[in-house]
């Protein structure tokens, strides 16, 4: 960290994560499709619909939403958010910054943006940053903070949640899509076999990289389950709507939300 207190273990985790995502950057979307049988697309679509970005709740409403997609990698969430603002909520002034710690993932997003209608658009910007330290983003400046399949890779998740809280405006929304705890024991057994058995193998065959995909599976297993993560969001200062999360596909993934009071 910028305080120089990073432990060797933390530095190792950061380096490991960096290596994984540099390795998988170009094959990332194909692999996502393989690993989730295409379901990640439906989850992402639903995630964005549930947020309803660009609706008239921004302040002032005419300026559109100022959005920040953290661990935005290849832009998968960001392009959907912009599309929703434009097509559903008639909010062509809403903007988004795609932020990621990994220059290779960010480059992949930039490349992909060129084949969307947001190529070179002033509505889209890129920021190379660690989610745990967003010092270039002013406090109270963001309407929507999203992080999809990213936070489980962060070394210090609480620090990232505190930064999310800091950069959001009062009334701003934190929304996270992440793998979570499967609620049905039978499905959980099938899922564990799939993830620990098939995913590293598919990684080896399709991307020529078993170790990176082994890491991805382990990081899913280690990430806090629904309630514990909800509590972490509350500890960072957010007010959570309802019970604080919504399960997708029996909890294989979950959406957590928090509002900055
Ligand atoms: N959001 C995209 C999606 O849903 O397809 C990409 C998710 S990808 C699995 C995880 C991303 O998290 C990678 O691009 C990785 O570089 C990024 N990442 C890992 N640690 C990070 C950190 N500390 N700060 C910001 N991004 C990080």
């Amino acid at each position: 960290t910028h305080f120089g207190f990073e432990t060797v273990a933390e530095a190792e985790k950061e380096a490991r994560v960096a290596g994984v995502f540099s390795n998988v950057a170009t094959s990332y979307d194909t692999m996502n499709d393989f690993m989730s049988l295409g379901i990640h697309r439906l989850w992402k679509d639903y995630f964005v619909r549930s947020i309803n970005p660009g609706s008239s709740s921004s302040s002032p409403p005419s300026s559109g939403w100022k959005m920040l997609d953290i661990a935005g990698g290849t832009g998968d969430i960001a392009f959907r958010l912009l599309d929703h603002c434009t097509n559903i909520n008639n909010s062509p002034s809403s903007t988004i910054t795609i932020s990621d710690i990994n220059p290779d993932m960010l480059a992949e997003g930039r490349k992909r943006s060129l084949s969307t209608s947001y190529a070179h658009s002033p509505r889209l910007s890129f920021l190379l940053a660690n989610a745990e330290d967003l010092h270039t983003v002013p406090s109270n400046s963001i309407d929507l903070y999203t992080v999809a399949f990213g936070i489980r890779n962060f070394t210090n998740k609480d620090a990232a949640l505190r930064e999310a809280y800091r950069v959001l405006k009062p009334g701003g929304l934190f929304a996270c899509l992440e793998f979570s705890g499967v609620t049905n024991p039978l499905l959980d057994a099938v899922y564990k076999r799939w993830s620990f058995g098939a995913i590293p193998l598919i990684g080896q065959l399709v991307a020529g990289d078993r170790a990176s995909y082994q890491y991805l599976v382990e990081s899913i297993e280690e990430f806090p389950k629904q309630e514990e993560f909800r509590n972490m969001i509350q500890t960072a200062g957010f007010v959570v709507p309802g019970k604080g999360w919504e399960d997708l596909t029996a909890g294989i993934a979950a959406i957590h939300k928090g509002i900055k009071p």
Side-chain angles (χ1 to χ4, degrees):
T1 70
H2 50 294
F3 298 118
F5 289 155
E6 194 169 65
T7 64
V8 173
E10 281 174 357
E12 270 172 7
K13 168 155 179 161
E14 236 167 75
R16 177 134 194 240
V17 169
V20 166
F21 286 105
S22 290
N23 287 349
V24 303
T26 48
S27 58
Y28 179 74
D29 284 328
T30 325
M31 280 306 305
N32 263 345
D33 280 336
F34 264 107
M35 292 191 321
S36 76
L37 309 172
I39 296 172
H40 76 107
R41 291 170 188 269
L42 304 180
W43 290 337
K44 287 171 179 170
D45 288 344
Y46 181 79
F47 179 58
V48 168
R49 277 205 308 279
S50 82
I51 294 168
N52 194 19
S55 62
S56 53
S57 58
S58 69
S59 55
S62 54
S63 63
W65 284 28
K66 212 169 170 311
M67 305 180 287
L68 179 62
D69 183 36
I70 292 290
T74 55
D76 238 23
I77 298 297
F79 304 140
R80 280 177 170 81
L81 288 168
L82 282 178
D83 282 347
H84 189 103
C85 288
T86 314
N87 304 334
I88 309 288
N89 283 323
N90 190 23
S91 175
S93 48
S94 291
T95 60
I96 195 155
T97 300
I98 300 180
S99 183
D100 202 288
I101 198 172
N102 189 310
D104 296 321
M105 290 296 276
L106 220 47
E108 201 55 31
R110 210 182 279 274
K111 198 166 90 191
R112 273 188 48 191
S113 75
L114 299 177
S115 56
T116 71
S117 53
Y118 308 109
H120 310 296
S121 163
R123 298 178 63 192
L124 181 62
S125 56
F126 295 87
L127 171 68
L128 185 65
N130 186 336
E132 296 160 27
D133 175 11
L134 299 172
H135 63 271
T136 59
V137 183
S139 303
N140 306 310
S141 65
I142 301 291
D143 294 293
L144 171 68
Y145 173 116
T146 52
V147 58
F149 303 116
I151 200 165
R152 73 173 191 281
N153 301 294
F154 301 173
T155 310
N156 188 340
K157 296 163 185 62
D158 293 313
L161 289 170
R162 284 195 296 273
E163 276 296 77
Y165 186 87
R166 181 186 66 77
V167 300
L168 279 165
K169 295 175 186 172
L173 178 68
F174 166 86
C176 172
L177 172 61
E178 187 53 88
F179 290 106
S180 204
V182 181
T183 51
N184 175 313
L186 190 65
L187 181 66
D188 193 40
V190 175
Y191 175 70
K192 289 238 159 60
R193 285 204 86 144
W194 167 253
S195 46
F196 283 95
I199 289 181
L201 185 64
I202 295 176
Q204 185 178 348
L205 297 177
V206 177
D209 181 359
R210 186 183 181 92
S212 292
Y213 287 88
Q214 182 76 39
Y215 160 79
L216 290 177
V217 171
E218 285 166 11
S219 69
I220 293 170
E221 186 61 20
E222 282 163 21
F223 187 68
K225 303 298 175 240
Q226 285 85 333
E227 267 185 86
E228 188 185 346
F229 185 45
R230 188 263 326 267
N231 295 345
M232 288 166 66
I233 293 168
Q234 287 175 320
T235 301
F238 290 102
V239 172
V240 303
K243 67 176 178 179
W245 77 87
E246 187 180 354
D247 287 329
L248 304 181
T249 319
I252 293 181
I255 294 173
H256 280 77
K257 285 181 183 157
I259 295 163
K260 176 168 172 176

